[in-house]
Amino acid sequence: MKQITLPLVGFIACLIIKISSGWPTVNENNINVVSLNIDNANTGQNIPSTMHGAILETNINRDDDGGLYAELIYNRAFQEKGGSLDGWSSFGQGSIALNTSQPLSSALPVHLRYSLIENSTSPSGFRNGGFYGINIQVQNYTASFFYRSLGEAYVAGGQLSIGFSNSTGQMTYGLSTINVSIIPADNWFHFSFTIPVFNNTSSVKNVFFVEFPPGSKGDFEFNLVSCFPPTYKDRVNGARRDIAQAFADLKPGYVRLPGGNDLEGHTILERFIWNNTIDLLENRPGRRGTWTGYNTEGFGLIELLTFVEDIGAIPVLAVYAGYSLDGKAVPQDELQPYINEVINELDFLTASASNNSMGALRERLGRSEPFDIKYVEIGNEDFFAASSYSYRWPAFYNVLSQRYPNITFIATTTKSISSPPAVDDHDYQVPLFFIQNFRRYENIPRPSPKVLVGEFSVINDDDSQINNPFGAGRLDYPSIKSAVAESVYRIGFERNSDVIIGGCYAPVLQNIFNTQWTPNLIVFNDSSVVKSTSYLAQKMFGQNLGNIILNSTATNSSFTHQSVEKGQEGDGKLGNLYFVATKRTNDSMLILKLVNADQNDIYIRVQVQGTTLCCEGFMEILTAGPGVDPTTVQNTMVNPNAASIVRRPFWSVGGAFSITIPSWSIMVVTLPI
Ligand SMILES: *[C@@H]1O[C@H](CO)[C@@H](O)[C@H](O)[C@H]1NC(C)=O
Ligand SMILES: *[C@@H]1O[C@H](CO)[C@@H](O)[C@H](O)[C@H]1NC(C)=O
Ligand SMILES: *[C@@H]1O[C@H](CO)[C@@H](O)[C@H](O)[C@H]1NC(C)=O
Ligand SMILES: *[C@@H]1O[C@H](CO)[C@@H](O)[C@H](O)[C@H]1NC(C)=O
Ligand SMILES: *[C@@H]1O[C@H](CO)[C@@H](O)[C@H](O)[C@H]1NC(C)=O
Ligand SMILES: *[C@@H]1O[C@H](CO)[C@@H](O)[C@H](O)[C@H]1NC(C)=O
Ligand SMILES: *[C@@H]1O[C@H](CO)[C@@H](O)[C@H](O)[C@H]1NC(C)=O
Ligand SMILES: *[C@@H]1O[C@H](CO)[C@@H](O)[C@H](O)[C@H]1NC(C)=O
Ligand SMILES: *[C@@H]1O[C@H](CO)[C@@H](O)[C@H](O)[C@H]1NC(C)=O
Ligand SMILES: *[C@@H]1O[C@H](CO)[C@@H](O)[C@H](O)[C@H]1NC(C)=O
Ligand SMILES: *[C@@H]1O[C@H](CO)[C@@H](O)[C@H](O)[C@H]1NC(C)=O
Ligand SMILES: *[C@@H]1O[C@H](CO)[C@@H](O)[C@H](O)[C@H]1NC(C)=O
């Protein structure tokens, strides 16, 4: 009240900013006016750090092999299509074939045999075109393979050349040589080496090649032919940098993995078997992909959990619960081995290395510190298998909760079981569904099991398809309208953080060349990553997370503060405006989330009670633009930047400020209070 100059400066600064930015423009005739009153008192309910999460629905849309997993070589161990040379071809003289005699390992029973019947007279060898091409940049690649020469076979000069070229081999971008002259015949030998790339190409129609000099002859065998670019956080056997970064930028509090459906597998034998995914790559058999191709499980349990740590999240670990996608459930009296399997897995991840054999195994594999496992989900979508979940859930839960008292176990349905500590809800729907269900989680009676909204997304922008969202109008990409509706739902999560553990759009990743499901949060090809509207909205929520809820009420000409009651107009919503006021107490920051699901702009006057500060705040906004139909704006492979987050400063005086929230928009306001 006394510091009159500062607010004046502030107002002037605010005016200048508003005028100079030329935004937001307000159509005065078309505007609703709302007053929002926020109480800055530190007594609100806590918001867990897990609130906005992610899922690695492994194998879907080639999201791990051919996606997040940085391996460039497709079919590196000849497992695709039931054992094949798919993706491989020979050049020059000689031929390639499969052989199974004296395999590298029982896990990888098939290898490639390259045969030169006559002395070669030109450079000859074989190639791999990558998953859908190979993105080559000027950097060092790490390549490796197992090699064996048979009998009298010889390599002229003793050296193989390995590198990258264009698809016809005439243009070489990177090259390395390895000396095989001293390798005894008929024995597998592991080579690991660097391929420096010295020339650029924007095309991804490139190949990885292994070349024998002229004058070579005989039979040579190869397996686990592998090549990585530099990975996220430089992890060996790690993640593709741009995809991993996009994942990390969501600032997910948790990542649920592995699966979805990939946890269950097509059959019980093809389920996720954790200890098939942890050893040396040559000892990982992989399995038939649940969604597509072959699942190498090269990005196995340790790689998955290390990635989750690297992006600053915690895992929600899904464990196999005795049901697979062919509809077969393990009978009740045969469940014990499957329960033991989970005990071994959880011991492996959490037990001390000094006095537990599974903990010791983890240490032998290079990880002595236990992983931080707070949430374990038992099964996947067992509302499809509720009749057997009625015995499977208690069988697993009763044993596991005894043994791991600090882990919260999450059920996948409450259809046939009672009072689990937590349950995972999934919804794929139209925008109207999520908007109409804004109060869903405040309407469930307390006390309630905790809720993970493990999968949700708008899959169809046509509200009339609410009873058949998988029918006509299924989206390829999320739109602004999709993102707005999802954000309304997400505001409901924050407001109900007494029960909500967190929620996540699903699925997250899509390789544009191998798609089983749309829409997705992130779509990529070999060289680019496209962030959808829903991605941008989730990122706004994930990057701006308060740790307590502040009480807030909205009023307008027809509602006064006195009339606002919990669960009624003015509490969390007013008309088509949805909001949640939160605070990040460590830096005393107001984080106000606003979603306008109205065809008109909304003008809002905010007053934060209990602060006298005058300071600059920021608003981030995602919208289609004035007069643009929000269903028509999508970030796609062809038009990756149709929508983007706009960030603007504003000035608040004594906790008071006014802003315009455009029609069909998502806004996050941050302000020191
Ligand atoms: C917030 O509002 C609720 C009722 O809506 C009330 O019980 C609670 O005391 C309020 N908290 C604060 C800090 O004002
Ligand atoms: C595989 O290798 C063995 C041993 O060299 C050979 O006898 C057999 O004919 C090969 N099989 C095929 C299918 O090439
Ligand atoms: C590749 O590795 C070599 C040898 O370690 C190093 O000299 C070179 O700078 C690296 N190149 C790139 C692009 O990092
Ligand atoms: C490969 O590079 C050579 C030399 O630049 C060029 O002549 C040839 O057309 C290229 N092949 C393809 C398929 O681009
Ligand atoms: C390959 O290694 C052998 C044994 O160490 C050596 O005698 C030979 O000179 C090497 N060849 C080349 C081309 O470096
Ligand atoms: C790099 O590529 C350009 C054209 O693509 C070519 O002219 C040049 O010779 C290449 N450089 C090397 C070192 O191969
Ligand atoms: C390759 O391309 C990048 C990005 O366009 C550029 O920064 C770099 O200098 C290029 N390197 C070479 C060797 O041409
Ligand atoms: C094949 O090449 C090797 C060495 O290059 C030579 O010793 C041998 O005589 C050649 N064999 C034939 C059949 O040309
Ligand atoms: C995995 O664990 C099971 C016991 O649950 C054991 O029978 C199996 O041999 C193990 N597999 C590997 C590859 O270690
Ligand atoms: C195993 O070791 C850990 C860490 O050293 C210790 O906390 C735990 O009590 C031990 N458990 C048993 C059963 O000895
Ligand atoms: C559970 O957590 C408590 C508190 O952090 C800890 O003291 C205890 O050792 C943990 N118990 C187990 C079985 O990990
Ligand atoms: C990959 O996507 C980017 C961005 O959408 C596009 O520019 C590029 O042409 C695509 N590459 C291929 C090989 O499709």
Side-chain angles (χ1 to χ4, degrees):
M1 220 207 202
K2 274 156 208 132
Q3 297 172 340
I4 197 81
T5 47
L6 203 62
L8 263 181
V9 171
F11 270 128
I12 293 163
C14 176
L15 276 175
I16 292 170
I17 290 160
K18 269 194 170 173
I19 292 161
S20 64
S21 67
W23 186 94
T25 49
V26 180
N27 180 350
E28 297 287 349
N29 301 329
N30 229 2
I31 210 149
N32 310 321
V33 179
V34 171
S35 298
L36 183 63
N37 194 54
I38 300 172
D39 192 357
N40 177 23
N42 278 8
T43 52
Q45 137 201 326
N46 289 329
I47 306 172
S49 62
T50 44
M51 184 54 54
H52 305 293
I55 177 174
L56 248 174
E57 169 104 43
T58 44
N59 186 251
I60 200 170
N61 298 330
R62 282 261 189 229
D63 66 344
D64 46 7
D65 288 320
L68 181 63
Y69 186 37
E71 175 65 81
L72 293 172
I73 307 300
Y74 167 68
N75 196 15
R76 67 182 180 186
F78 316 100
Q79 297 159 299
E80 288 286 347
K81 302 186 176 168
S84 75
L85 288 167
D86 199 39
W88 296 92
S89 60
S90 60
F91 64 91
Q93 294 139 322
S95 60
I96 54 172
L98 293 175
N99 198 291
T100 55
S101 176
Q102 295 181 290
L104 173 63
S105 63
S106 59
L108 302 183
V110 181
H111 45 265
L112 175 147
R113 174 178 292 189
Y114 178 63
S115 303
L116 282 165
I117 295 167
E118 301 292 344
N119 269 10
S120 60
T121 55
S122 64
S124 301
F126 55 92
R127 298 177 173 139
N128 184 284
F131 280 82
Y132 305 95
I134 300 180
N135 179 21
I136 295 173
Q137 302 296 317
V138 178
Q139 57 192 3
N140 287 327
Y141 290 74
T142 305
S144 61
F145 50 60
F146 285 86
Y147 165 85
R148 167 167 78 182
S149 67
L150 297 188
E152 303 300 309
Y154 59 88
V155 174
Q159 293 209 102
L160 298 180
S161 298
I162 299 98
F164 302 109
S165 70
N166 74 0
S167 61
T168 48
Q170 293 145 289
M171 179 72 198
T172 301
Y173 299 109
L175 193 62
S176 185
T177 56
I178 58 168
N179 188 339
V180 295
S181 62
I182 52 160
I183 305 307
D186 304 313
N187 287 294
W188 286 111
F189 193 89
H190 191 235
F191 283 102
S192 184
F193 49 96
T194 295
I195 304 177
V197 165
F198 45 76
N199 213 347
N200 278 342
T201 169
S202 58
S203 168
V204 298
K205 289 181 181 162
N206 306 306
V207 298
F208 169 92
F209 66 82
V210 176
E211 185 178 290
F212 289 73
S216 303
K217 182 179 172 183
D219 291 328
F220 309 89
E221 296 186 325
F222 292 82
N223 209 344
L224 200 59
V225 184
S226 169
C227 186
F228 282 81
T231 57
Y232 186 67
K233 305 231 163 173
D234 291 316
R235 294 284 177 197
V236 172
N237 196 41
R240 189 176 131 175
R241 281 183 172 171
D242 54 355
I243 298 176
Q245 190 61 53
F247 225 99
D249 288 345
L250 284 171
K251 280 244 171 10
Y254 75 86
V255 181
R256 174 169 159 242
L257 52 77
N261 291 139
D262 192 39
L263 177 75
E264 302 161 281
H266 291 293
T267 62
I268 293 172
L269 280 175
E270 290 171 298
R271 70 190 183 280
F272 176 80
I273 301 177
W274 71 276
N275 61 342
N276 277 351
T277 77
I278 56 172
D279 203 350
L280 298 171
L281 294 181
E282 59 268 32
N283 293 330
R284 298 189 196 180
R287 59 198 167 112
R288 178 161 65 116
T290 305
W291 289 94
T292 185
Y294 198 80
N295 186 345
T296 68
E297 297 190 319
F299 210 64
L301 187 60
I302 294 176
E303 289 84 6
L304 287 165
L305 293 177
T306 303
F307 172 67
V308 173
E309 285 183 351
D310 282 349
I311 64 172
I314 64 165
V316 170
L317 180 74
V319 296
Y320 182 74
Y323 176 81
S324 292
L325 295 171
D326 59 1
K328 294 211 169 68
V330 176
Q332 189 160 7
D333 58 358
E334 293 169 24
L335 272 180
Q336 197 57 48
Y338 298 88
I339 297 169
N340 293 344
E341 191 170 296
V342 176
I343 290 174
N344 286 342
E345 179 177 4
L346 292 179
D347 277 0
F348 174 76
L349 295 175
T350 64
S352 158
S354 63
N355 55 18
N356 178 289
S357 64
M358 288 292 134
L361 172 62
R362 183 188 69 239
E363 186 171 62
R364 276 205 303 284
L365 294 174
R367 167 81 188 209
S368 54
E369 277 303 297
F371 287 95
D372 182 17
I373 308 289
K374 291 195 171 75
Y375 295 98
V376 169
E377 181 161 348
I378 299 178
N380 176 63
E381 295 193 337
D382 290 283
F383 42 84
F384 289 121
S387 61
S388 62
Y389 204 55
S390 62
Y391 65 79
R392 291 184 292 113
W393 162 265
F396 281 84
Y397 174 67
N398 292 341
V399 172
L400 297 174
S401 59
Q402 281 289 315
R403 195 176 166 102
Y404 308 99
N406 290 353
I407 292 178
T408 299
F409 289 93
I410 304 171
T412 68
T413 180
T414 48
K415 259 188 178 173
S416 55
I417 64 165
S418 57
S419 315
V423 65
D424 178 359
D425 281 355
H426 293 183
D427 278 297
Y428 295 97
Q429 261 291 356
V430 299
L432 185 63
F433 174 89
F434 293 111
I435 290 171
Q436 286 181 340
N437 279 278
F438 173 65
R439 296 202 190 276
R440 174 174 180 173
Y441 291 109
E442 55 201 76
N443 290 338
I444 55 176
R446 285 10 179 213
S448 155
K450 295 273 185 188
V451 177
L452 180 78
V453 186
E455 299 179 20
F456 79 100
S457 67
V458 169
I459 59 162
N460 193 325
D461 267 351
D462 181 355
D463 288 332
S464 72
Q465 291 283 62
I466 192 162
N467 294 319
N468 185 24
F470 288 88
R474 177 83 177 258
L475 290 169
D476 289 332
Y477 295 95
S479 71
I480 288 286
K481 184 174 179 184
S482 322
V484 164
E486 289 151 8
S487 300
V488 168
Y489 209 48
R490 247 184 221 115
I491 284 181
F493 301 167
E494 291 200 11
R495 281 170 48 79
N496 291 283
S497 51
D498 60 323
V499 295
I500 302 282
I501 297 167
C504 165
Y505 186 104
V508 174
L509 296 173
Q510 175 194 2
N511 186 321
I512 193 67
F513 299 116
N514 191 326
T515 298
Q516 293 82 50
W517 182 285
T518 66
N520 299 277
L521 208 58
I522 297 169
V523 55
F524 59 88
N525 61 20
D526 300 84
S527 53
S528 288
V529 171
V530 174
K531 295 159 184 173
S532 69
T533 53
S534 293
Y535 173 95
L536 297 176
Q538 188 175 330
K539 183 176 111 171
M540 288 165 71
F541 275 64
Q543 291 196 347
N544 297 289
L545 185 63
N547 59 304
I548 61 166
I549 304 275
L550 299 180
N551 276 4
S552 58
T553 51
T555 55
N556 61 17
S557 51
S558 34
F559 283 92
T560 62
H561 283 287
Q562 286 67 35
S563 68
V564 173
E565 282 173 41
K566 195 163 165 41
Q568 301 300 316
E569 283 293 291
D571 176 32
K573 79 175 277 281
L574 185 60
N576 291 326
L577 175 69
Y578 297 81
F579 59 92
V580 63
T582 68
K583 185 173 182 180
R584 198 166 58 208
T585 49
N586 64 4
D587 61 352
S588 200
M589 189 73 78
L590 169 72
I591 300 177
L592 173 62
K593 289 165 179 152
L594 300 148
V595 178
N596 182 353
D598 199 276
Q599 57 181 352
N600 293 315
D601 296 348
I602 296 172
Y603 184 73
I604 185 167
R605 298 195 186 98
V606 182
Q607 176 65 58
V608 185
Q609 307 289 348
T611 181
T612 52
L613 291 181
C614 299
C615 33
E616 190 180 44
F618 286 91
M619 47 189 159
E620 287 189 348
I621 186 150
L622 182 66
T623 187
V628 178
D629 176 352
T631 64
T632 63
V633 178
Q634 304 178 336
N635 287 348
T636 68
M637 213 72 222
V638 175
N639 189 8
N641 300 307
S644 56
I645 300 169
V646 176
R647 184 176 159 89
R648 301 277 185 215
F650 68 93
W651 199 269
S652 152
V653 179
F657 59 95
S658 300
I659 48 184
T660 298
I661 310 162
S663 153
W664 289 103
S665 71
I666 301 146
M667 185 181 276
V668 176
V669 170
T670 48
L671 177 74
I673 53 173

